[in-house]
Amino acid sequence: MKPKLLTTLKTYTREEFLHDAIAGVTVALVAIPLAIAIAIASGADPAKGIVTVIVAGLLVSLLGGSRVQIGGPTGAFIVVVYGVIATHGYDGLVLATFMAGLILLLAGALRAGSLIQYIPEAVINGFTIGIAIIIATSQLKDFFGITTGDLPAEFVAKVSALWAARGTATLAALLAGVTTLVSIVLLRRVLPRWPCTIIVVAAVSTIAYLTELPVDTIESRYGALPQSLPPMALPAFSVEKIVELLPSALIIAFLAGVESLLSAMVADRMIGGSYRPNAEVIAQGAANIGSALFGGLPATGAIARTAKNVRAGGRTPVAGIIHALTVLAIMLAAAPLAGKLVLPALAALLILTAWYMSEPHKWRGYMSGRLSDRLLLVLTLVLTVLTNLTIAIAVGVAVGLAIRLRRRQVPPADWQVPER
């Protein structure tokens, strides 16, 4: 359970610090627009995403069991966070996040980090693709500049509402969104080590400002971003509220644990390391408690940002610490500029994130697997999209374990680490 930071600092060098510093700053520039976009898609204030990156990202790197893990808000949480806020308000989300942190601390203390191997891969793939579909759908309003009231949380009702309001779409929003989407894809191919997302989103937002393009910005819709962290405070709670929010807290804890351990596994494959699963789970618990104390969102290990950290040269938790401190410095010094980012560009960023999250290059492989695995993937996907994550995960895991028990004489297939 010993944090990797303590291990790596014993032999830390000036050269490693230079690489970590470059990687930390690079990942920070990637994290800022993505954190804002995730917060908005979750139904929260944009500043909550920044707060989560700073607080949770710092704690994950200080206490985590991975050398290169980057913590913060991720797309996997959008669906459950949106639902909790819609049902219980933002105060309910903060309490659920705090409870999830406590659950993760308990899970780490009980050495439950290794239990990820018992979760059927088809279940993880199914709800990941389902979440990606929901995320992409939720961004169509801003991507096309559609004018409508608050969209319903249910997938079918949301799609119907968007279709009914399709006539209000604007060419300006579509132009900003498509330009962002295409530019990020092209720039990532040409300059894979660069923070392409912030470059493109900032460039499109600057052009929109200079040409007075009629599109919404963060500031025009949500007001100015704050230039300091909010005061730390315990979430308000009662026994009734705790019981009411327990299912949501369990789902948040499950997602945080699974996503962080998957991310650590991806990082290990990239650097040839060996992460400590129980230390990582404890770090995620501390990160979610810390985020809740500052009114932030649920957090976990971010697979894409962790991979970006490795590719940028990060090799120790110092890179993650620098990443969090860099975001804090930018918040203190340049929050007004971040408020000028245009919403269609952020919507395009999340649509692209959802696409990568679904790992389309693996779909053919999924469909050539065992029939039972294909059915389990589709079942989990459909339940994720049409019901909610609680039902999808519960049913998927139960059916998956039943299938594994039935074919217990057959050696399990090699577990495939996700690349998203």
Side-chain angles (χ1 to χ4, degrees):
M1 295 188 187
K2 183 180 180 180
K4 276 285 186 177
L5 178 64
L6 298 180
T7 302
T8 56
L9 287 181
K10 292 179 180 179
T11 57
Y12 200 59
T13 66
R14 181 178 297 181
E15 183 181 359
E16 285 179 316
F17 176 76
L18 178 61
H19 288 305
D20 284 342
I22 294 172
V25 172
T26 300
V27 177
L29 295 177
V30 172
I32 290 171
L34 193 56
I36 291 173
I38 289 171
I40 292 172
S42 301
D45 185 277
K48 304 301 185 185
I50 300 296
V51 169
T52 308
V53 170
I54 296 169
V55 178
L58 183 62
L59 289 171
V60 165
S61 296
L62 286 173
L63 304 174
S66 169
R67 295 175 64 95
V68 291
Q69 182 84 283
I70 298 295
T74 68
F77 282 119
I78 290 176
V79 178
V80 65
V81 168
Y82 188 92
V84 173
I85 293 176
T87 306
H88 305 286
Y90 195 79
D91 288 344
L93 173 68
V94 172
L95 179 56
T97 303
F98 188 86
M99 292 166 59
L102 295 176
I103 293 170
L104 286 166
L105 287 181
L106 178 61
L110 295 175
R111 301 183 181 276
S114 59
L115 293 180
I116 185 175
Q117 61 184 308
Y118 296 105
I119 300 173
E121 184 182 353
V123 173
I124 294 176
N125 294 332
F127 79 66
T128 300
I129 297 173
I131 290 170
I133 292 171
I134 295 173
I135 291 172
T137 305
S138 72
Q139 297 308 297
L140 296 179
K141 177 181 176 180
D142 285 335
F143 186 83
F144 289 101
I146 294 173
T147 301
T148 182
D150 293 336
L151 292 173
E154 295 77 15
F155 179 79
V156 175
K158 181 182 295 183
V159 171
S160 298
L162 288 169
W163 180 254
R166 65 190 183 280
T168 63
T170 66
L171 182 60
L174 181 60
L175 180 62
V178 171
T179 301
T180 303
L181 202 65
V182 173
S183 299
I184 290 176
V185 172
L186 294 178
L187 196 59
R188 278 179 173 173
R189 292 183 178 180
V190 178
L191 301 169
R193 292 180 177 272
W194 287 43
C196 301
T197 53
I198 188 64
I199 293 173
V200 172
V201 172
V204 170
S205 299
T206 300
I207 294 171
Y209 176 78
L210 294 176
T211 59
E212 298 183 352
L213 202 66
V215 292
D216 286 340
T217 65
I218 294 172
E219 189 175 75
S220 67
R221 185 179 294 183
Y222 301 100
L225 291 173
Q227 290 185 264
S228 63
L229 287 173
M232 187 170 65
L234 279 171
F237 65 92
S238 64
V239 175
E240 294 78 10
K241 203 69 176 175
I242 290 174
V243 172
E244 188 178 356
L245 288 167
L246 185 57
S248 298
L250 288 169
I251 290 297
I252 292 172
F254 177 84
L255 288 177
V258 170
E259 192 78 2
S260 66
L261 294 175
L262 291 180
S263 180
M265 291 169 68
V266 170
D268 272 0
R269 187 177 62 178
M270 295 179 74
I271 66 174
S274 179
Y275 77 102
R276 296 165 182 160
N278 297 308
E280 189 60 36
V281 172
I282 288 175
Q284 297 302 326
N288 279 278
I289 290 173
S291 182
L293 291 176
F294 284 92
L297 301 169
T300 185
I303 295 178
R305 275 163 276 165
T306 297
K308 185 73 175 179
N309 179 37
V310 174
R311 295 189 187 105
R315 287 298 179 271
T316 80
V318 174
I321 295 171
I322 293 174
H323 139 267
L325 295 179
T326 301
V327 175
L328 175 60
I330 293 173
M331 180 187 195
L332 296 175
L337 291 178
K340 303 297 183 184
L341 299 179
V342 297
L343 295 183
L346 294 176
L349 174 58
L350 272 189
I351 290 173
L352 193 59
T353 299
W355 174 255
Y356 289 133
M357 193 175 157
S358 69
E359 299 185 289
H361 61 286
K362 291 188 175 181
W363 293 351
R364 185 186 297 273
Y366 296 158
M367 292 302 100
S368 62
R370 295 189 183 100
L371 176 61
S372 58
D373 289 339
R374 281 180 278 162
L375 292 176
L376 182 58
L377 186 152
V378 172
L379 172 65
T380 308
L381 189 159
V382 171
L383 289 175
T384 299
V385 173
L386 298 183
T387 59
N388 59 62
L389 284 183
T390 306
I391 294 174
I393 292 173
V395 173
V397 170
V399 173
L401 292 178
I403 292 173
R404 177 175 291 182
L405 183 63
R406 182 179 180 183
R407 63 176 189 226
R408 58 186 178 276
Q409 303 301 328
V410 180
D414 289 338
W415 207 91
Q416 299 296 312
V417 180
E419 299 174 7
R420 58 180 180 277

